[in-house]
Amino acid sequence: MGATAIVTRFAPSPTGFLHLGHAHAALTAWRAAREAGGRFLLRIEDLDPTRCRPDFTDAILEDLAWLGLDWDGAVRVQSRHLPAYRGALDRLAARGLLYPCFCTRADIAREIAASAAAPHGPDGPLYPGTCRRLPPAQRAARIAAGEAHALRLDMAAAIATLDAPLTFREHGTRRACDPARFGDAVLARKDIPASYHLCVTHDDALQGVTLVTRGTDLLPATDLHRLLQALMGWAEPDYAHHTLLTDATGRRLAKRDRADTLRALRDAGISPAEARRRAET
Ligand code: GLU
């Protein structure tokens, strides 16, 4: 295997049992690696302790093995690597690209309701920038008092560091990125000193992922991930966004739909080969 061999990954969050949609995503990444003689990694994105459960992690490993998928190397479990994410945040903070945000959801909702415009981004209404404008002394006093805060990316400052407009590469074509549509994105939550956007990008770089395959629901996120890669000097992977599986009524499969979980199929006597066929059609 050469240094440029393809590395893909499946990175589920253990918030429920895997369903056929996950199997589709996992198989897409696994096939891309196996057909090219590359590596397929498994990463558990379990940062949110209110939604993730260790028994779902165990179930993910079991269900993937049942499906006939094998992965290379150790499974990376994100909740065990918080200091690494802290290190990335420190580097951004040292460049003045992060600021603490003390706002509650209610504060933000009130501020948005009072303003004339309420632009929306892929993750919801854009943050109105309240804490970006806090005087430094007030900011320092609130941190010293131990007030809970998130860390937000100063989007305008981050974009100002770029020397060329951002793009991402998909199937050999360059497509324009618009990270500004996220506004001042949260990179470290109040309750967890990290965030999905930061950790997924950090880990793809750390693990040498060369091809990120994921659903089109995450297409907008790629714009922000490319910005983080540029800011941190992380290598740029290729991207391949696949369509999402839907049920007979055209609705996207979700973890709440018990009937489509791999577990339910297995319990109903469906073979792994048949489950793979359903996941890939
Ligand atoms: N952990 C994310 C999810 O389960 C996917 C990670 C990614 O491909 O960016 O939705």
Side-chain angles (χ1 to χ4, degrees):
M1 191 177 80
T4 53
I6 182 172
V7 181
T8 66
R9 48 59 165 189
F10 176 52
S13 296
T15 58
F17 292 119
L18 295 184
H19 55 61
L20 282 173
H22 295 106
H24 180 75
L27 282 160
T28 303
W30 180 80
R31 274 196 203 293
R34 293 286 173 256
E35 280 167 9
R39 286 163 56 77
F40 169 68
L41 310 179
L42 176 60
R43 186 167 73 225
I44 300 295
E45 304 208 328
D46 62 341
L47 285 170
D48 188 339
T50 61
R51 297 181 58 232
C52 298
R53 284 180 15 200
D55 52 321
F56 286 138
T57 297
D58 296 343
I60 287 172
L61 306 192
E62 205 181 291
D63 289 350
L64 290 177
W66 173 76
L67 206 54
L69 268 67
D70 57 340
W71 51 90
D72 297 300
V75 177
R76 182 174 172 90
V77 179
Q78 286 192 326
S79 61
R80 298 186 193 148
H81 298 282
L82 293 182
Y85 309 131
R86 177 79 253 169
L89 290 166
D90 288 347
R91 282 174 57 197
L92 290 170
R95 295 171 63 193
L97 298 177
L98 297 184
Y99 64 87
C101 174
F102 306 94
C103 292
T104 60
R105 277 174 201 273
D107 293 334
I108 298 173
R110 215 175 307 114
E111 180 99 6
I112 288 174
S115 65
H120 268 65
D123 290 346
L126 294 195
Y127 179 62
T130 324
C131 287
R132 187 179 356 97
R133 294 185 289 270
L134 278 184
Q138 215 186 97
R139 196 176 268 174
R142 291 175 77 168
I143 290 180
E147 196 174 331
H149 57 272
L151 292 175
R152 287 186 182 272
L153 182 67
D154 183 335
M155 183 56 79
I159 287 178
T161 67
L162 303 175
D163 18 83
L166 281 177
T167 57
F168 70 93
R169 209 169 38 225
E170 177 147 33
H171 306 304
T173 304
R174 287 228 159 254
R175 295 172 65 171
C177 288
D178 177 22
R181 60 178 162 161
F182 281 86
D184 290 353
V186 169
L187 293 192
R189 289 166 39 163
K190 261 188 192 171
D191 55 340
I192 317 165
S195 67
Y196 158 67
H197 294 301
L198 178 81
C199 300
V200 78
T201 322
H202 173 280
D203 285 356
D204 284 341
L206 179 82
Q207 298 187 286
V209 171
T210 62
L211 173 65
V212 172
T213 61
R214 60 184 175 203
T216 47
D217 55 329
L218 289 173
L219 187 53
T222 297
D223 292 9
L224 180 54
H225 299 178
R226 285 290 299 121
L227 175 62
L228 293 175
Q229 287 156 2
L231 294 175
M232 298 301 296
W234 287 331
E236 175 190 0
D238 286 320
Y239 288 88
H241 297 91
H242 56 77
T243 49
L244 299 170
L245 283 198
T246 51
D247 64 15
T249 67
R251 210 166 48 105
R252 219 178 107 182
L253 298 184
K255 284 178 182 154
R256 61 179 177 275
D257 299 328
R258 167 102 190 114
D260 290 310
T261 63
L262 299 181
R263 248 122 251 243
L265 296 179
R266 189 176 67 188
D267 291 350
I270 303 285
S271 69
E274 172 59 14
R276 280 204 300 276
R277 194 196 61 75
R278 290 190 193 178
E280 291 191 298
T281 48

